[in-house]
Structures are given as C-alpha cells and as structure tokens.
Amino acid sequence: MTGGYEISTDPSRLDAARIHHWLSTDAYWALGRPREQQDRAIAGSLNFGVYEPGSGRQVGYARVITDHATFAWLCDVYVDPAARGHGLGVALTAAARDHLTPYGLRRMLLATDDAHGVYAKVGFKPLDDVAKWMALKLR
C-alpha cells in the first residue's frame, strides 16, 4: 500500500480507544458517540484499520455493516489528521470494496457530507433514483 502503510481486518489490532476518540470528538457524524456504543458498533461490523509503517500505530479506520451476500454499508471512515494527504482514505475505501467483491454483493452504500471526491475515485456515485430510497430515523 501507499507509503508502506498497512490495511488489516484483524480485529485484535484495532485500537478501540483511539477509534472512539477520533469519531466522538472529530467526526461530524459521530460527535459525542458513547464508548460503549462504539464498542458495540465495532463488534458487529467488518472493521478495517490502517497502520503506520514501522510503529504499527493505527492511523485510520473504517467499518462495514454487511450480510456478506447482498448488501453492505460503509461507514465511520476516518484518517488521523496527521496522516492525511497520503491517499489513505481512498486506499481504505478501495480495500473495503476489494474485500467484499468476491461475495457478489448487489451494492455498497455510504453517506457523506463532504468527501464525494474521495469515494468517486473508488467508483461510488450518487444514487440514480433517490426517490426509491427511504429511511427510518430511530432517534
């Protein structure tokens, strides 16, 4: 991977405290998310960590909610501010796509306010017919 960074799905390598800190203090979609809720999200997801060359320190994270058969939702994509600018967001998203490709999923979705260009580089595009989609807000 770019610059010697490594992407892994090994859950034992995840730094859950660091992930929680990033998301709950700096990610607009997860501000204030409680640690217990974040830990449950990690436990119920396919997780991707990005690790720095040499130190092995975690510098990025993404998770996917999927049935491994028909559908996936990519979320909580985050790269530490000190590690940004190295293409890690694109590499992380591509790793999730590539990991799921063999399963023959019909689609992978995500939502973003400000990173459309990052996801477009991996093949994501706006929905063709947004009128078909609905959401149920539970809180």
Side-chain angles (χ1 to χ4, degrees):
M1 193 190 124
T2 199
Y5 289 89
E6 181 186 359
I7 296 178
S8 173
T9 58
D10 180 353
S12 71
R13 293 185 68 187
L14 295 172
D15 184 339
R18 188 169 176 81
I19 293 165
H20 175 256
H21 175 75
W22 285 333
L23 297 177
S24 68
T25 65
D26 191 42
Y28 67 83
W29 65 90
L31 292 175
R33 183 182 289 168
R35 171 69 190 265
E36 186 271 332
Q37 185 179 40
Q38 183 61 49
D39 288 347
R40 282 188 288 127
I42 290 170
S45 300
L46 170 62
N47 300 280
F48 294 80
V50 181
Y51 302 93
E52 195 171 65
S55 73
R57 184 175 69 97
Q58 187 171 353
V59 296
Y61 176 73
R63 67 186 182 93
V64 176
I65 300 131
T66 184
D67 60 7
H68 291 94
T70 62
F71 179 80
W73 177 263
L74 176 64
C75 55
D76 288 346
V77 179
Y78 188 90
V79 175
D80 187 291
R84 292 178 187 166
H86 300 285
L88 299 179
V90 172
L92 188 53
T93 304
R97 178 202 60 204
D98 295 349
H99 183 91
L100 292 167
T101 296
Y103 293 99
L105 306 182
R106 183 170 178 170
R107 68 178 43 95
M108 182 187 305
L109 294 178
L110 62 81
T112 184
D113 279 349
D114 59 359
H116 296 79
V118 170
Y119 300 114
K121 291 177 183 176
V122 181
F124 283 88
K125 62 181 187 166
L127 293 172
D128 291 331
D129 187 358
V130 295
K132 289 181 180 181
W133 294 88
M134 298 177 70
L136 173 63
K137 191 167 184 171
L138 297 175
R139 65 176 183 107

